[in-house]
Amino acid sequence: MKKILLITGEDFEDLEVFYSIYRLKEEGFSVIVASYKDMLTGKHGYSLKVDKNFNEIDPSEFNALVLPGGRAPERVRLHREAIDIVKHFVLENKPIAAICHGPQLLISAQAVKGRRMTSYYGIKDDLIAAGAEWIDSEVVVDGNLVTSRYPNDLPSWMKKFIELLKQ
């Protein structure tokens, strides 16, 4: 069974986190949620129990990474352990799905230069400044990287990510 790591933090986008978890579990994948605290609250008030703290994660045990958005990525990127985990997935060319503000973690990991990506419009300039080619599209697949803009794109985003995981 493939193990998927989902990294998030306080004020996560509720739909992006829970939709990802349930879709991946429906496909038979194991999903582990990692963060900097044991219990999180999303932007819309939903609670999420965290499986492991960042310092308990061995990224080599995981097949893929999910980076949902909301305000969480700007909080998560302050934790060096989280950025080191993201860098592992980038360097090992493992599948990565990022949506909304999730690509902020890829910027902090210095992993967007030369990549074709999309994101929430509010971080478009950040991605471009970091060297990405930003595309306003429901979903953009660039090798091992699958990106989308916001919750309305969730079905297309997870569909492409699951296709990548099953290759």
Side-chain angles (χ1 to χ4, degrees), residues 7-31:
I7 290 179
T8 194
E10 279 295 312
D11 295 319
F12 59 86
E13 172 48 61
D14 307 59
L15 286 171
E16 293 168 0
V17 168
F18 290 110
Y19 185 87
S20 301
I21 291 169
Y22 294 134
R23 276 300 295 122
L24 291 165
K25 285 184 176 185
E26 284 173 351
E27 294 294 329
F29 301 111
S30 168
V31 181

Side-chain angles (χ1 to χ4, degrees), residues 110-128:
Q110 300 175 344
V112 303
K113 188 173 184 175
R115 303 301 299 259
R116 296 175 65 248
M117 304 175 68
T118 195
S119 67
Y120 177 68
Y121 189 79
I123 65 166
K124 168 188 173 182
D125 291 344
D126 303 304
L127 282 167
I128 292 169

Side-chain angles (χ1 to χ4, degrees), residues 30-89:
S30 168
V31 181
I32 301 297
V33 176
S35 193
Y36 48 85
K37 56 190 276 193
D38 296 336
M39 204 61 175
L40 301 171
T41 303
K43 280 176 38 178
H44 305 289
Y46 287 90
S47 296
L48 176 66
K49 185 175 180 339
V50 171
D51 299 307
K52 292 188 175 196
N53 194 287
F54 296 138
N55 61 11
E56 299 174 298
I57 296 295
D58 175 359
S60 67
E61 295 177 359
F62 294 88
N63 304 96
L65 177 64
V66 176
L67 303 171
R71 299 287 307 267
E74 64 186 80
R75 289 164 171 66
V76 169
R77 72 197 304 193
L78 301 175
H79 297 266
R80 183 82 246 150
E81 307 96 335
I83 300 307
D84 290 343
I85 291 167
V86 173
K87 283 182 178 181
H88 166 86
F89 285 89

